[in-house]
């Protein structure tokens, strides 16, 4: 089983060559590790189905998933729920005259 | 078809479809006064036209067809409680319905207190608009319509929870976020009425 200290490695000769080409092209080079981290996050999010996102959020709510991991997987989904809750609460305080049928 | 009556709640196409697909829609129709735009009405009509009545159960196509047909009924029934305002200039494109709500609020900011939209980005830009016009208004997710009938005592806790679950099944992750937020914001425990697979 993977642990937090494991390096994430994959065989990618062509990808390595491609990143070297870009690295040489730029004066400051590129940070391949950072790009790989961002790429992995992006791809993980993209592969998740709607049902999987729901399952993951339920695990997070139960405390079975850390906030750090939930944020990687669900992106701003967590903030969205929080923003939505605040909007909902604010709306419940607004005057409702004329809202209901007599 | 359009008249000048502006009720304090304005609802966009996707929000109407989401709520009209729940069994609480008839209660919403009986109890609330809603306004939408001519652009949203045309989007609903287009969904009805372009999707099959006989699409497979549980498919997105069936969800669109059934929800749009049900959503159109009260607006077509010449009821005083359901009004359609004409949006000028008429927006075009895939977000036309949503944009029409924003345009209408920008032109009549003091007429609306609740804007109900399914899309989170749409809600955010309308909330910025409400803030900028210094009027009392809040853009909220479609679950708020269910909350309004619950809070008035027009439906039971169980019916509210069931309707949330129905919306969740049809709207996936987007609906889930709105429903979680509603459950967080109002003290209601749906665990007695719903299966674990939809509960937080």
């Amino acid at each position: 089983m993977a642990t937090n200290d494991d390096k994430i490695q994959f065989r990618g000769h062509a990808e390595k060559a491609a990143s070297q080409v870009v690295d040489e092209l730029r004066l400051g080079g590129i940070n391949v590790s950072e790009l790989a981290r961002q790429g992995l996050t992006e791809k993980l999010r993209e592969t998740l189905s709607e049902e999987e996102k729901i399952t993951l959020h339920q695990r997070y709510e139960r405390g079975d998933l850390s906030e750090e991991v939930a944020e990687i997987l669900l992106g701003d989904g967590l903030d969205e729920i929080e923003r939505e809750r605040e909007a909902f609460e604010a709306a419940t305080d607004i005057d409702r005259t004329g809202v209901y049928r007599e | 078809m359009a008249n000048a009556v502006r009720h304090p709640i304005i609802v966009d196409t996707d929000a109407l479809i989401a709520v009209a697909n729940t069994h609480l829609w008839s209660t919403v129709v009986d109890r609330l006064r809603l306004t939408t735009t001519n652009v949203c009405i045309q989007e609903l009509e287009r969904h009805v036209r372009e999707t099959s009545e006989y699409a497979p159960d549980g498919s997105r196509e069936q969800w669109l067809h059934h929800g749009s047909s049900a959503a159109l009924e009260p607006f077509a029934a010449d009821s005083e409680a359901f009004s359609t305002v004409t949006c000028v200039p008429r927006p075009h494109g895939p977000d036309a319905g949503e944009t029409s709500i924003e345009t209408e609020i920008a032109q009549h900011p003091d007429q609306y207190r609740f804007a109900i939209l399914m899309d989170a980005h749409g809600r955010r830009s309308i909330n910025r608009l409400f803030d900028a016009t210094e009027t009392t208004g809040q853009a909220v997710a479609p679950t708020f319509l269910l909350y309004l009938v619950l809070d008035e005592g027009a439906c039971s806790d169980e019916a509210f929870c069931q309707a949330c679950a129905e919306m969740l099944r049809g709207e996936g992750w987007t609906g889930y976020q709105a429903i979680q937020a509603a459950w967080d914001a109002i003290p209601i425990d749906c665990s007695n009425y719903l299966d674990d697979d939809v509960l937080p």
Side-chain angles (χ1 to χ4, degrees):
Chain A
M1 200 180 135
T3 72
N4 284 342
D5 295 329
D6 281 344
K7 274 187 189 167
I8 297 177
Q9 290 178 321
F10 61 94
R11 288 183 205 284
H13 295 292
E15 288 81 356
K16 195 172 178 187
S19 59
Q20 277 166 350
V21 171
V22 180
D23 190 65
E24 285 159 13
L25 198 70
R26 296 203 182 156
L27 206 57
I30 53 169
N31 185 339
V32 176
S33 296
E34 182 54 28
L35 283 178
R37 265 195 299 275
Q38 287 173 10
L40 186 59
T41 302
E42 239 168 69
K43 284 293 151 197
L44 278 171
R45 283 179 193 167
E46 276 175 25
T47 57
L48 291 176
S49 68
E50 301 246 313
E51 290 75 24
E52 285 169 337
K53 283 187 200 168
I54 292 172
T55 305
L56 288 167
H57 185 261
Q58 286 168 334
R59 282 196 200 159
Y60 167 69
E61 285 283 303
R62 285 196 296 264
D64 296 341
L65 202 67
S66 74
E67 190 166 352
E68 203 182 1
V69 172
E71 264 174 21
I72 288 175
L73 295 171
L74 301 174
D76 66 357
L78 300 179
D79 296 337
E80 187 51 52
I81 293 173
E82 179 57 21
R83 263 199 300 273
E84 185 59 41
R85 186 183 61 76
E86 286 169 11
F88 203 99
E89 282 173 351
T92 59
D93 288 337
I94 294 175
D95 171 41
R96 293 186 210 163
T97 311
V99 159
Y100 293 107
R101 293 177 80 156
E102 301 307 321
Chain B
M1 131 185 150
N3 55 47
V5 180
R6 292 180 162 87
H7 302 301
I9 312 177
I10 188 162
V11 194
D12 90 329
T13 315
D14 291 339
L16 284 169
I17 293 171
V19 180
N21 266 308
T22 73
H23 78 285
L24 272 185
W25 178 235
S26 56
T27 311
V28 168
V29 173
D30 281 346
R31 296 307 310 138
L32 300 181
R33 289 188 168 121
L34 305 180
T35 288
T36 193
T37 66
N38 60 324
V39 181
C40 292
I41 293 288
Q42 281 152 14
E43 283 188 342
L44 292 170
E45 288 168 345
R46 185 166 50 78
H47 286 317
V48 174
R49 224 173 29 241
E50 292 177 359
T51 56
S52 167
E53 188 182 346
Y54 307 105
D57 278 356
S59 66
R60 179 73 192 166
E61 189 179 353
Q62 188 211 34
W63 177 259
L64 281 176
H65 188 91
H66 175 265
S68 301
S69 311
L72 280 169
E73 275 171 31
F75 288 97
D78 200 26
S79 150
E80 281 177 17
F82 284 76
S83 70
T84 309
V85 293
T86 303
C87 181
V88 183
R90 192 185 190 288
H92 292 276
D95 297 329
E98 211 177 286
T99 311
S100 70
I101 303 283
E102 209 174 325
T103 307
E104 169 64 13
I105 293 174
Q107 290 169 1
H108 304 277
D110 53 342
Q111 300 284 307
Y112 298 106
R113 271 166 277 147
F114 307 103
I116 315 288
L117 290 92
M118 193 71 220
D119 180 74
H121 295 286
R123 288 197 299 269
R124 232 171 290 159
S125 58
I126 286 181
N127 275 330
R128 278 195 294 269
L129 192 62
F130 276 129
D131 288 344
T133 53
E134 292 180 13
T135 47
T136 305
Q138 189 73 46
V140 263
T143 37
F144 193 73
L145 293 182
L146 305 178
Y147 163 77
L148 285 173
V149 293
L150 172 76
D151 199 49
E152 204 216 9
C155 79
S156 64
D157 285 5
E158 182 174 3
F160 174 82
C161 293
Q162 295 290 359
C164 284
E166 286 162 1
M167 196 186 287
L168 201 161
R169 288 190 190 104
E171 297 290 341
W173 173 238
T174 314
Y176 175 86
Q177 293 181 80
I179 289 156
Q180 291 310 303
W183 285 346
D184 282 351
I186 54 175
I188 186 161
D189 180 8
C190 288
S191 60
N192 291 330
Y193 314 115
L194 299 179
D195 293 340
D196 282 349
D197 63 333
V198 292
L199 291 166

